Each structure stands twice: as structure tokens, then as C-alpha cells.
Amino acid sequence: MTDVNKLQSDLDYISNTLREDATAGGIPALYFMWGGLIAAGFSLPDFAPQLAGIYWLVAGIGGGLFSWWLGERQSRRQGVKNARMAQRYGLHWGLMGAAFLLCFLPLLLGRVSPEMGGANFLLVTGIGYGLAGVHLERPLLWCGLLMLTAYGVLVLLMPPYTWTITGITVGLSLLWAGLSRRAALRAAGDAA
Amino acid sequence: MKALSALDPLLEHRIRLGACVLLTRHGELTFARLKALLQATDGNLGAQLRKLEERAYLQSRKDFVERKPTTWYQLTPDGRSALNAHMAALRDLIDASGSAQ
């Protein structure tokens, strides 16, 4: 084999190795967990508003810590420790957490109606998940787009039980993202 | 050719080059993960990683993952700069071969 052919063969081997890396992508259990937490938590203002604050205090912080722990465990099991990627995840979801807190502000100050306040959460969640799909995990892109579509419907039609509809929409889209991610992982496992 | 002499002989081996590229991309990887990604045998990968370690291109540490002893590898600053120089030489070589055609 000539030097040029050997070089080409080596470069093909390296690029195939990088392409075959299946570590990128989310953990289905986290999609299912957050789908359930959000569906239940967003329904509370419609049915038990006195519980919503304490629910999110516990579920938000507890869910965040559990997600971090599960991500760390998964990463160690897969044999990959990517500090730069972990920092990107931390920054992204940290910014989303801050945006969620800011969504409460107009509601607390009475600047928006509870219906519009609920819809704002869906808008922020849709943008956050959509951008996570662009930069972190592809299944979240479609999930984010679905949430943004639901936001448009909510604002145009303003149906009753806005919070519940918001929560169920987010929950279902996360369930869908989790199922598609799990199917992709199984397909990758079967192919290996 | 100047680009040929600028190539790092240690990184001309595909397993060693692949390991360095993967470690640049992911930060830190276990031996098992590298073995799976590079589709190498235990003996071959171990020998190639040892050569990189001897030249201080990468460093390893031992750890336990779910009670199993695990070796993690990461590139050193020397390894990173050597890989960057090698990749630049490869690019020059490709550019030169393109302009020669």
C-alpha cells in the first residue's frame, strides 16, 4: 500500500470511529421523570393551587439533583467523562431554571393573567428544549417545536385549564422524546 | 516534503491517532470504551496506550466503577499540542497533494 493510500485508510478509520460513537444523547429515564413531574406540577394550579409552590420547590430541586446524579452515573458506566459537555449541560439547564424563576415574576406582580402566565412557561420551556435539541440532544428539538406550537394554540384560543393543558403537552412531548431516544439506543445496541 | 517530516511518528499509528482524537473530543475515557470505539484487542490497545503514556502524551488513573477496577485515560497538554501539530501537518500534506494534482 502506498503512503497516500495508507494515510487515506487511517483517516477513514478515525472518521468511522468518531461516527460510531453513540454516547451523545439523553437518558430516557430522565425524559420520563421530567415528563411526569411537569405534567403533575403544571396541573396543580388548576386543581390544588395551594400545593403548587411546595411541589415545585421539592420536585424542581430534587429532580435537578437526581438528574445530575443519574447523568454522572450513566457517564461513568459508559466510560466517558466529558467535562466540557457537562459544563454545557449545566449552563443550559441552569439558564432555563433562571428563566423559569423569572416567569413567576409577572405572575407574582399581577402583570399578566394566570392563563398568560401559564402560557409563558410553555414558551420558555419550548425555547429551552428546542435549543437543547440543537446543542445537546437531538430528540429534544422536536419536543421543543411541539411545545412552541402548543404555545401558539394556547395564546390564540385561550382554552380553559391552561396550566393543565400546558403540563400535559410538555409531559407528552417528553414521553415521546424518551421513547424515541430509547428506541434509538436499542437500535444502536442491536446493530453493535 | 516539509509536511511529511512534520508528521509525528508516534501518531502515525491509526490506533494511537484514534485514541488521541477520541480523548480530545471526550476529555476522559475508560480503557473499555476506547477498546469498543477503536475496535481494538486488549493487547494491541494496551501496548499502543503504553507507548503514548511513556512519551507523556496521555495520563491514566485507576478508579472503581460499580466495584470494578477501571482505568481512565486523558490527554496531557503535551499530547494535545503534539496532536494539533500532527493534524496541521496532515492538513498541509492533503493541501499539497491537492495542489499537485
Side-chain angles (χ1 to χ4, degrees):
Chain A
M1 199 185 281
T2 64
D3 281 344
V4 175
N5 285 341
K6 183 184 175 300
L7 192 65
Q8 185 62 53
S9 158
D10 288 352
L11 290 175
D12 288 346
Y13 168 78
I14 305 299
S15 56
N16 284 337
T17 301
L18 289 171
R19 217 172 290 134
E20 280 169 14
D21 179 18
T23 56
I27 304 168
L30 284 184
Y31 292 161
F32 300 141
M33 181 190 82
W34 280 107
L37 286 179
I38 289 173
F42 272 38
S43 305
L44 283 175
D46 283 333
F47 300 103
Q50 71 281 6
L51 294 177
I54 190 79
Y55 174 90
W56 279 113
L57 193 68
V58 175
I61 295 171
L65 288 174
F66 182 72
S67 303
W68 174 76
W69 175 79
L70 202 66
E72 178 76 10
R73 191 186 68 158
Q74 182 83 352
S75 160
R76 282 172 64 78
R77 276 182 175 176
Q78 285 180 332
V80 182
K81 215 167 185 186
N82 194 332
R84 269 184 303 178
M85 186 57 87
Q87 194 180 32
R88 271 167 68 182
Y89 270 83
L91 279 171
H92 179 87
W93 296 114
L95 278 170
M96 259 203 71
F100 268 129
L101 287 176
L102 284 171
C103 277
F104 275 110
L105 201 58
L107 275 169
L108 289 174
L109 296 173
R111 303 268 164 85
V112 294
S113 65
E115 291 78 15
M116 267 313 294
N120 284 344
F121 280 101
L122 192 55
L123 177 64
V124 167
T125 317
I127 295 169
Y129 274 82
L131 288 176
V134 173
H135 301 297
L136 301 172
E137 298 168 15
R138 188 46 52 116
L140 294 179
L141 174 63
W142 316 113
C143 191
L145 287 173
L146 183 62
M147 292 178 201
L148 291 176
T149 308
Y151 168 78
V153 172
L154 276 181
V155 171
L156 283 173
L157 304 177
M158 272 297 165
Y161 299 109
T162 313
W163 285 88
T164 306
I165 292 169
T166 301
I168 289 172
T169 308
V170 174
L172 285 176
S173 51
L174 279 171
L175 175 71
W176 174 63
L179 288 172
S180 63
R181 178 68 188 141
R182 194 168 66 177
L185 284 172
R186 280 187 179 160
D190 290 344
Chain B
M1 191 186 286
K2 193 187 165 195
L4 268 178
S5 60
L7 289 172
D8 187 333
L10 200 64
L11 296 176
E12 280 180 28
H13 191 284
R14 57 164 61 178
I15 299 256
R16 294 196 289 263
L17 178 61
C20 288
V21 170
L22 284 168
L23 290 170
T24 301
R25 182 172 167 172
H26 294 297
E28 206 172 10
L29 292 168
T30 60
F31 183 88
R33 190 76 198 169
L34 278 169
K35 187 184 140 191
L37 289 170
L38 293 165
Q39 294 179 334
T41 60
D42 279 352
N44 191 9
L45 181 62
Q48 305 311 332
L49 292 177
R50 209 160 31 247
K51 282 182 187 169
L52 289 167
E53 231 177 329
E54 281 164 6
R55 281 278 293 272
Y57 279 18
L58 54 85
Q59 60 191 25
S60 64
R61 69 178 175 89
K62 304 277 183 199
D63 189 12
F64 283 89
V65 177
E66 293 175 343
R67 296 181 189 174
K68 287 181 194 156
T70 304
T71 311
W72 293 82
Y73 293 90
Q74 66 177 335
L75 273 185
T76 61
D78 280 354
R80 198 172 296 274
S81 59
L83 179 66
N84 287 340
H86 185 76
M87 297 304 269
L90 278 177
R91 268 195 298 272
D92 288 347
L93 197 64
I94 290 164
D95 288 347
S97 69
S99 59
Q101 283 173 354

